[in-house]
Amino acid sequence: MQEFFQKLVSDSQEAYRAALHAVGQGEDAAYPAGNAQQDPDRPRKVTLVLSDMGLPRIPGVGRAVHSSVMIDLIEYEFAGNGIRRSNGPKSHDRFGGKPEFIEMGYTSKGGRHLMAKLGNTFPAGTYDLLRKNCNTFSDCALFYLVGQRMQDEHRALEKLGNTLNKYTNIVSSIFSGYQPNPKADNFQTMGVIDHIQKRRQAQMKDDAALRF
């Protein structure tokens, strides 16, 4: 693994800089989040949108992707300035290639529910390319909306983040200029997932009690 990382250093750095701009950590950050949508409760289609970030595929880890979640036609993504909302998958315009759309099911929750649940967990200034990024947000958002997780193969950057202490020098070489964001130090995806699950179970108990 270490030899592979070292071999990729030269051709990864340019792709990394482009990706850094695209996810809102460079000068081209765009599509700031507005207020969450205020639709009444009704079934809404949930779609996971993926774009290849242009980084070399890492054996045993996977490919680095940018992801966002769409509720009907409204996109939600996490970047440097927090959760951002736009009409359609605009965040993927910043990447080359055609986005992949994966239908995840339907939810009764709207954007206002999503923002209320995850807005404080993913505030502006807490983004970290490897440890708290668009994919960790999409993973949590999908679990909240439809009870599903992102497939492991789409979370290559987070796998690197989990081994950051072991491969610090290698990661720093590939992702030139990357510095861990101290505001993401205490973030754990599973902590958010577990919290959502506990709240869901508590709500189910409350609903069951009301029927008796």
Side-chain angles (χ1 to χ4, degrees):
M1 177 69 77
Q2 182 168 343
E3 292 180 358
F4 174 78
F5 280 150
Q6 291 173 332
K7 184 175 182 295
L8 288 179
V9 169
S10 60
D11 57 357
S12 294
Q13 289 180 346
E14 183 176 352
Y16 164 69
R17 285 191 291 269
L20 200 61
H21 283 282
V23 296
Q25 291 294 284
E27 298 173 358
D28 299 328
Y31 310 121
N35 293 327
Q37 62 197 62
Q38 300 293 326
D39 294 339
D41 292 339
R42 60 174 176 76
R44 299 169 174 84
K45 184 178 181 179
V46 177
T47 305
L48 173 65
V49 189
L50 304 173
S51 285
D52 196 300
M53 292 180 68
L55 298 172
R57 191 179 188 88
I58 304 172
V61 178
R63 66 186 178 113
V65 298
H66 166 66
S67 69
S68 65
V69 172
M70 291 183 63
I71 303 177
D72 286 339
L73 298 178
I74 304 298
E75 177 191 53
Y76 293 87
E77 63 147 338
F78 177 61
N81 57 355
I83 300 175
R84 308 195 291 189
R85 172 182 179 270
S86 58
N87 295 315
K90 291 183 179 179
S91 71
H92 297 264
D93 293 345
R94 308 191 294 274
F95 296 89
K98 185 178 180 180
E100 178 182 0
F101 295 85
I102 303 175
E103 295 183 4
M104 302 299 295
Y106 287 81
T107 183
S108 61
K109 303 177 180 70
R112 62 187 176 87
H113 301 101
L114 181 65
M115 294 296 292
K117 187 65 180 180
L118 297 181
N120 290 333
T121 304
F122 291 91
T126 63
Y127 181 94
D128 186 291
L129 182 70
L130 301 182
R131 300 179 300 158
K132 187 180 182 182
N133 56 28
C134 59
N135 298 327
T136 54
F137 167 75
S138 294
D139 193 19
C140 295
L142 288 175
F143 190 74
Y144 172 68
L145 294 170
V146 295
Q148 297 189 54
R149 303 282 307 276
M150 277 185 71
Q151 291 187 11
D152 193 56
E153 65 182 282
H154 298 143
R155 291 185 282 138
L157 293 178
E158 297 72 64
K159 292 179 185 178
L160 285 178
N162 290 335
T163 61
L164 191 59
N165 291 333
K166 184 177 181 180
Y167 295 111
T168 299
N169 293 333
I170 303 171
V171 170
S172 297
S173 297
I174 294 178
F175 302 110
S176 178
Y178 168 73
Q179 292 291 333
N181 185 350
K183 293 183 179 180
D185 285 349
N186 297 323
F187 177 79
Q188 294 290 333
T189 300
M190 281 309 304
V192 181
I193 297 295
D194 289 344
H195 177 70
I196 294 173
Q197 180 65 11
K198 289 177 181 178
R199 291 295 298 271
R200 180 177 291 143
Q201 292 172 344
Q203 185 62 54
M204 290 174 63
K205 289 181 180 179
D206 291 343
D207 292 345
L210 291 174
R211 290 196 291 268
F212 292 96

